[in-house]
Amino acid sequence: MGFEEMQTNNFVESSFWNFDALFQPQQHPARDSHDTFFLETPSTTNKLPEDYVQRVKQVHEAGGYGSRGYAYDWKREEADKNLLRTHTTAVSSRMLYQLAQKPFTPKKYFSIDRVFRNEAVDRTHLAEFHQIEGLVCDRGLTLCDLIGVLHDFFSRMGMTKLKFKPAYNPYTEPSMEIFSYHEGFKKWVEVGNSGMFRPEMLQPMGLPEDVQVIAWGLSLERPTMILYGIDNIRDLFGHKVDLGLMKKNPICRLGIE
């Protein structure tokens, strides 16, 4: 599909790139310790672009770019906290910032990497799992482009039964949850989230006003469950995996005739 892979260095990220750069307010419940794994050592970062940090602070506190902001006192000590990244959108925020430092050229990026959530484990949830992140950055993009890309992406994996539900994300507007039909569960299962990145996120980075970014984050495990008819995510990833399942299923080879 013409995408370029985003390079991810490690699982540790600062709250700034994971939350603040995405226009997610510091009082958002996702930033609480019961949802996020914060690090004790090293507990904070000292490597942030200061001019950009100040623009992010301004848009959170007082708004800009057509927004009123959140009207609260943004705290640098919150943004400096280190954590295990909760989504690969943190990687996207870094890549878009780097892209904004050069003359603009349209880009398609993707990544596949591990993320961490402080969640109760059950047959459809894990505290440690993998996320597929994708984005397209160009002029003239609309929600129809996003829906078309998602249909194309999932159809290549044999998943044609999709539904989209309006949702809320601090960093995208409009936003959509993505559902696919699971034959084993006999119901629709959420497999990802998507939307168009907000100007409050993109323009402080330095991207032109007329540039739009469509983006999506998809669970790797849940689509795999649907494709293989697995009804418990712990049978696919983690210490309870049946190695016999791995041995008897064929290797997935992409792009090989």
Side-chain angles (χ1 to χ4, degrees):
M1 296 174 68
F3 283 73
E4 175 184 341
E5 185 172 7
M6 294 185 282
Q7 298 301 315
T8 58
N9 297 324
N10 53 56
F11 305 141
V12 177
E13 189 55 270
S14 68
S15 291
F16 178 80
W17 293 110
N18 197 84
F19 294 126
D20 296 272
L22 302 178
F23 195 56
Q24 189 158 322
Q26 293 185 337
Q27 66 270 32
H28 194 282
R31 301 179 70 146
D32 293 341
S33 60
H34 66 264
D35 286 313
T36 302
F37 294 109
F38 289 96
L39 268 64
E40 290 185 355
T41 307
S43 61
T44 60
T45 183
N46 58 4
K47 297 179 180 179
L48 294 175
E50 292 301 326
D51 56 339
Y52 175 46
V53 169
Q54 290 306 309
R55 293 195 296 271
V56 170
K57 178 180 186 292
Q58 172 69 22
V59 77
H60 276 248
E61 290 186 339
Y65 317 103
S67 170
R68 293 183 296 177
Y70 292 117
Y72 73 100
D73 292 328
W74 186 88
K75 294 180 172 58
R76 176 63 181 266
E77 56 267 28
E78 286 294 324
D80 285 345
K81 289 181 179 178
N82 283 332
L83 48 80
L84 295 178
R85 65 167 174 249
T86 62
H87 51 187
T88 48
T89 314
V91 181
S92 297
S93 66
R94 284 180 175 272
M95 290 299 297
L96 287 170
Y97 173 74
Q98 293 175 21
L99 180 64
Q101 307 316 300
K102 308 170 186 176
F104 177 72
T105 55
K107 287 286 185 179
K108 296 180 180 180
Y109 289 126
F110 85 95
S111 68
I112 304 174
D113 217 329
R114 197 170 298 186
V115 296
F116 305 84
R117 306 273 178 86
N118 194 359
E119 291 188 348
V121 176
D122 57 31
R123 70 175 187 164
T124 59
H125 294 85
L126 290 172
E128 177 182 351
F129 56 99
H130 295 82
Q131 194 172 53
I132 305 168
E133 181 89 5
L135 65 87
V136 178
C137 184
D138 204 347
R139 292 180 168 91
L141 295 174
T142 68
L143 195 65
C144 292
D145 295 298
L146 175 59
I147 292 172
V149 169
L150 292 172
H151 273 292
D152 187 11
F153 176 85
F154 280 105
S155 67
R156 291 169 185 247
M157 296 191 294
M159 300 167 63
T160 57
K161 293 182 178 179
L162 296 182
K163 279 185 177 181
F164 303 99
K165 176 184 175 183
Y168 168 76
N169 294 314
Y171 43 90
T172 57
E173 178 61 39
S175 309
M176 301 185 304
E177 293 174 344
I178 310 159
F179 292 81
S180 182
Y181 191 76
H182 191 298
E183 295 291 347
F185 291 162
K186 301 298 181 185
K187 68 175 184 179
W188 294 90
V189 176
E190 183 185 354
V191 293
N193 212 323
S194 65
M196 301 185 67
F197 282 143
R198 297 177 65 111
E200 298 97 322
M201 172 187 165
L202 299 178
Q203 292 184 35
M205 293 177 174
L207 287 169
E209 291 184 17
D210 59 345
V211 167
Q212 294 84 36
V213 179
I214 56 175
W216 56 97
L218 312 171
S219 162
L220 177 60
E221 283 79 9
R222 287 187 184 177
T224 307
M225 290 172 66
I226 294 171
L227 287 172
Y228 284 92
I230 298 171
D231 61 6
N232 193 324
I233 196 170
R234 291 167 290 191
D235 294 335
L236 182 65
F237 181 69
H239 67 284
K240 293 185 177 181
V241 166
D242 178 8
L243 294 180
L245 176 71
M246 304 299 133
K247 293 176 181 178
K248 71 182 181 182
N249 278 291
I251 295 174
C252 178
R253 299 184 183 275
L254 299 177
I256 297 177
E257 297 294 336

